[in-house]
């Protein structure tokens, strides 16, 4: 109960932020906000000792009990790790933002409300054990991310980036919801724990692969995997604290979390392994390759994030392979899940610090364009140190934590070719090669990022501001993160035992019984293994490429712009907007005639189709009355008048012919023994003919030419179709009466119960007087409407006033 | 040019009462013979239309100073009220009551609440028809 409430603490705190912002003007609002993540981080840190030993902590609050929907906070190694990342980096980001955002110029109350909302959402995502509440929090992260990216909403690029990220992540979120629903139908439970428990039976279900693909779509869009990564570079329009927090450390890892969390369910499927690993590796390569093309500091970091997320994703895919191997604990596959989680921690530390440095550079020099920057090393020594530590760690250079996880990544990828099922023996060799090339580019862009910015020639004439070192408050957070980068390198096994192994247990429960069973010991030096030579190769080739970067960077210009995924997205958005609009205009012509054609055509098609599909069309002459002579005569008159209506040249003829149709119908009522109907029909027909004549008399003189109705084949076919349809339905209904009529009851009781003799009238006023009541209401409304239309002419009145 | 249609006017005076009485007959006979509130109402208004044709709008309005809008409304209220009687007596909506009474002059007569409802229908029909015809006819 209490534990679930912890998730909501940030959102509850957000309620007070606007008040604090308005009332306490002297102090930066961020200081109040800072309390929340710090307290939460302390709370979650207190769980560490329990979770380290493989314990899990569950707490539940019912939300909609009748539908089985509840908030379940489930804390195991994986969710605790993420919760600590969210609150810990959250605290650092809030601290950083206090110095980054100006108190008097920025709308801080908006910023911190969104940020706290996001924090709650993210905690909810990683702790929810319930699929529906997980989805709820998932979409809340999308919404708060949308708000944060569009924080400077008066800028065009911000709004564009916010919309783009919203479109893509919400698309993925909805797909994921579909996957969740399928999963919950298959397993008959919403609880992820219970689904994991029955994972083997789920795999044989026909929807298994479908739900797998849908859920992966959600994870890939959120974690910016290929080809959905395109929103992330545009999301860089957000304030830098947001980019550091959402778009490097937390939200983009929600997809990673989802894949890790559901690995025990889906690892059994080959599709999962191939999709997760393949897409992850390709994203790794693609992101690192295009990072070098960027000229914006945050653009480089965005592509680098995409690439690193691909790396983690591919490792998670590889960790699913372990499910298919016997005795996986003893093989090299054991590294994959460990490396994924370890790199996730490392990435959060170095990427967070790099984003903050990019923000500092932007803040202190006024630009993020790497072409204008250079030679800042002596001006901003602390920033440079931090940036160098982060970049070198990202490049995988010792003595930083990125080196360790990169080594384990290479180990896992090298292991792929030893693996002889799922067609890995033929394709397995591709993985280490792609991984190696991607690592080379990672090395290049890491160097590109830090050395192009801080070394070289200082160009003060290009900078909008005079560069100087950032205030210390802004530097605290990146320094802390950078020192973590170094510390983790020296104590990887403590981090491994405390954080990584419990998380690995959650990813691979099919391998281990408890966290201490995981037989992995990280060491910086592990002998002359192939991965060591690969790393050396990365350093050498990467360094050479970096030195010659000016020569080959032009290569990127070869690729035409219209081939890019961004252009594809833009095309799609214009398609949705303009092209679909044009398409609607094709059939929404505004002409009633066309709409009537659609309606009639569809009614005819559906009805006749149904008649034949259901084989409902029968024709029997049984029970029909004999045809009498005067019926034939009346029908002839009726047909002749109808044809006259259609082919008359003058409207007056048509009106009179229509009147003749009406009177003939009255005659029919007479011969079919319906005196009441005949009476009414006669009078009503007279009135309506008189009204028609009135309308005819008032036709405008100008365009009043007498001519026949023109022949149109469309109209003819549709009219014929409607006629045939009605005839068929009538014949079919006449031939298959299923129940006897209720008439007998009326006949028997008309005098005894209702005290009358005229059945028609008694039905009208007594048996079914309700209808009559509302029919006279309809009549009154019609009368009042005519009165209103004639008497109330505002437009004419206004004109009169104008003329005066 | 003003025509002197004395024949039309004189005939209209006589025929009006014949049609009016016939319409009342049809209306009252509705429960046992063809007819009823609807046809009765239409016939009554046709009698009024005859007057309108023979004379003009103003004359007819001075002769019969009836507000047809109010007539329509009171018809609706009467119909709804009749239908609601049952509810006040603990019976369902639209419960009708009838019985035989011995009335002076007329003799044994069946009185039926459905007749009240039909009166409502009659009033609405006359009111609406006349509203439409008068408003269209009075429009220029």
């Amino acid at each position: 109960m209490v534990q679930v409430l912890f998730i909501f603490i940030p959102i509850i705190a957000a309620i007070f932020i606007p008040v604090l912002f308005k009332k306490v003007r002297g102090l930066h609002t961020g200081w109040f906000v800072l309390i929340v993540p710090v307290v939460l981080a302390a709370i979650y840190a207190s769980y560490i000792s329990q979770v380290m030993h493989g314990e899990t902590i569950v707490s539940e609050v019912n939300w909609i009990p009748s539908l089985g929907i509840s908030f379940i906070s489930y804390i195991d190694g994986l969710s605790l790790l993420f919760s600590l990342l969210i609150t810990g980096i959250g605290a650092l980001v809030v601290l950083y933002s206090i110095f980054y955002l100006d108190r008097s110029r920025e709308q801080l109350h908006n910023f911190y409300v969104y940020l706290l909302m996001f924090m709650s959402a993210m905690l909810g995502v990683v702790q929810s054990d319930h699929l529906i509440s997980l989805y709820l929090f998932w979409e809340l992260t999308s919404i708060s991310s949308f708000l944060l990216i569009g924080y400077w909403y008066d800028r065009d690029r911000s709004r564009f980036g916010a919309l783009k990220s919203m479109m893509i992540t919400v698309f993925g979120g909805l797909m994921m919801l579909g996957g969740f629903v399928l999963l919950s139908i298959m397993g008959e439970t919403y609880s992820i724990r219970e689904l994991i428990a029955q994972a083997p039976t789920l795999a044989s279900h026909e929807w298994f692969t479908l739900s797998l693909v849908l859920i992966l779509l959600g994870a890939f869009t959120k974690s910016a995997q290929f080809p959905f990564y395109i929103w992330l570079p545009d999301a860089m329009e957000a304030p830098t604290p947001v980019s550091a927090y959402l778009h490097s450390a937390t939200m983009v890892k929600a997809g990673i979390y989802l894949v890790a969390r559901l690995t025990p369910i889906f690892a059994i499927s080959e599709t999962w392994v191939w999709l997760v690993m393949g897409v992850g590796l390709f994203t790794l390569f693609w992101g690192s390759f295009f990072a070098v093309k960027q000229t914006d500091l945050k653009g480089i970091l965005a592509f680098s994030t995409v690439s690193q997320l691909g790396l983690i994703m591919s490792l998670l895919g590889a960790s699913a392979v372990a499910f298919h191997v016997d005795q996986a604990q003893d093989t090299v596959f054991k590294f994959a899940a460990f490396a994924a989680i370890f790199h996730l921690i490392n990435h959060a530390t170095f990427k967070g610090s790099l984003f903050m440095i990019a923000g500092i550079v932007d803040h202190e020099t006024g630009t993020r364009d790497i072409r204008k920057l250079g030679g800042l090393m002596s001006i901003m020594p602390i920033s440079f140190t931090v940036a160098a530590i982060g970049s070198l760690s990202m490049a995988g250079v010792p003595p930083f934590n990125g080196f360790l996880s990169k080594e384990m990544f290479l180990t896992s990828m090298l292991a792929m070719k030893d693996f002889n099922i799922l067609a890995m023996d033929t394709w397995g060799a591709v993985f280490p090669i792609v991984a190696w090339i991607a690592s080379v580019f990672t090395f290049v862009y890491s160097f590109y990022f830090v050395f192009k910015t801080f070394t070289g020639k200082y160009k003060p004439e290009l900078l909008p501001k005079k560069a100087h070192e950032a205030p210390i408050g802004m530097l605290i957070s990146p320094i802390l993160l950078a020192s973590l980068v170094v510390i983790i390198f020296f104590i990887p096994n403590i981090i491994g035992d405390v954080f990584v192994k419990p998380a690995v247990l959650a990813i691979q429960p099919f391998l281990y019984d408890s966290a201490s069973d995981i037989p992995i010991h990280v060491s910086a030096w592990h002998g002359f293994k192939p991965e060591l030579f690969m790393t050396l190769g990365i350093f050498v080739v990467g360094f050479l490429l970096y030195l010659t970067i000016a020569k080959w960077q032009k290569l990127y210009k070869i690729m035409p712009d219209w081939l890019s995924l961004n252009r594809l997205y833009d095309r799609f958005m214009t398609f949705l907007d303009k092209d679909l609009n044009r398409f609607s205009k094709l059939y929404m012509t505004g002409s009633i005639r066309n709409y009537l054609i659609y309606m009639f055509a569809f009614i005819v098609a559906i009805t006749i189709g149904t008649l034949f599909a259901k084989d409902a069309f029968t024709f029997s002459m049984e029970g029909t009355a004999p045809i009498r002579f005067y019926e034939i005569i009346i029908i002839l008159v009726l047909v002749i008048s109808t044809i006259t209506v259609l082919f008359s040249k003058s409207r007056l003829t048509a009106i009179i012919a229509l009147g003749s149709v009406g009177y003939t119908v009255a005659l029919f009522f007479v011969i079919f023994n319906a005196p009441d109907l005949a009476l009414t029909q006669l009078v009503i027909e007279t009135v309506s003919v008189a009204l028609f004549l009135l309308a005819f008399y008032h036709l405008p003189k100008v365009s009043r030419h007498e001519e026949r109705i023109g022949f149109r084949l469309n109209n003819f076919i549709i009219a014929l179709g409607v006629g045939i349809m009605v005839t068929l339905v009538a014949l079919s209904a006449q031939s298959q009466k299923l129940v006897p009529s209720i008439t007998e009851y009326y006949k028997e009781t008309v005098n005894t119960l209702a005290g009358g003799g005229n059945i028609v009238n008694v039905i009208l006023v007594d048996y079914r007087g309700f209808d009559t009541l509302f029919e006279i209401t309809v009549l009154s409304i019609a009368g009042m409407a005519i009165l209103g239309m004639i008497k109330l002419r505002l437009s004419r009145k206004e004109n009169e006033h104008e003329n005066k | 040019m003003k025509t002197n249609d004395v024949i039309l006017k004189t005939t209209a005076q006589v025929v009006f009462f014949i049609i009016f009485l016939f319409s009342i007959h049809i209306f009252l006979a509705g429960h046992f013979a063809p007819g009823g509130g609807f046809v009765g109402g239409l016939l009554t208004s046709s009698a009024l239309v005859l007057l309108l044709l023979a004379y003009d709008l103003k004359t007819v309005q001075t002769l019969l100073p009836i507000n047809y809008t109010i007539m329509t409304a009171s018809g609706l209220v009467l119909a709804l009220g009749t239908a609601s009687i049952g509810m006040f007596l603990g019976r369902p909506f639209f419960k009708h009551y009838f019985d035989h009474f011995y009335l002076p002059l007329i003799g044994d007569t069946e009185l039926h609440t459905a007749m009240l409802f039909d009166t409502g229908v009659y009033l609405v029909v006359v009111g609406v028809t006349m509203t439409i015809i008068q408003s269209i006819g009075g429009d220029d």
Side-chain angles (χ1 to χ4, degrees), chain A residues 675-676 679-680 683-684 687 691 694 751-759 761-762 764-766 769-770 772-773 776-777 779-780 782-784 786-787 790-791 793 796, chain B residues 26 30-39 42-43 69 72 75-76 79-80 83 93-94 96 98 110 112 114 117-118 120-121 124-125 128 131-132 135-136 139-140:
Chain A
D676 290 275
L679 271 176
T680 316
V683 185
I684 287 294
V687 172
L691 288 176
L694 190 73
N751 205 359
T752 52
L753 287 181
N758 177 359
I759 295 182
N761 204 38
V762 171
L764 282 180
V765 298
D766 198 342
F770 230 130
T772 315
L773 182 61
I776 56 176
T777 315
L779 205 61
S780 318
M784 294 309 122
I786 289 173
L787 189 66
I790 288 175
K791 297 284 177 202
R793 290 193 196 168
R796 187 200 278 176
Chain B
I26 279 226
H31 222 57
F32 287 93
F38 198 80
V39 184
L42 281 176
L43 279 176
T69 326
T72 313
L76 275 178
L80 192 65
F93 189 61
F94 249 111
H96 281 306
F98 67 94
E110 188 195 270
H112 198 310
F117 182 75
D118 229 8
V121 175
V124 169
V125 171
V128 168
T131 311
I132 293 173
S135 55
I136 292 180
D139 185 47
D140 35 10

Side-chain angles (χ1 to χ4, degrees), chain B residues 72-108:
Chain B
T72 313
S74 43
L76 275 178
V77 170
L78 185 62
L80 192 65
T82 315
S84 323
I85 292 176
M87 289 171 74
F88 292 107
L89 302 174
R91 308 296 294 272
F93 189 61
F94 249 111
K95 169 75 189 165
H96 281 306
Y97 297 91
F98 67 94
D99 208 346
H100 290 265
F101 295 95
Y102 188 83
L103 295 181
L105 292 177
I106 306 169
D108 179 35

Side-chain angles (χ1 to χ4, degrees), chain A residues 760-804:
Chain A
V760 175
N761 204 38
V762 171
I763 288 176
L764 282 180
V765 298
D766 198 342
Y767 291 115
R768 304 182 54 182
F770 230 130
D771 293 351
T772 315
L773 182 61
F774 288 102
E775 272 153 24
I776 56 176
T777 315
V778 167
L779 205 61
S780 318
I781 292 170
M784 294 309 122
I786 289 173
L787 189 66
M789 281 201 298
I790 288 175
K791 297 284 177 202
L792 188 78
R793 290 193 196 168
L794 294 173
S795 60
R796 187 200 278 176
K797 262 184 205 162
E798 277 164 16
N799 288 342
E800 278 171 6
H801 287 301
E802 275 171 19
N803 292 341
K804 280 172 192 170

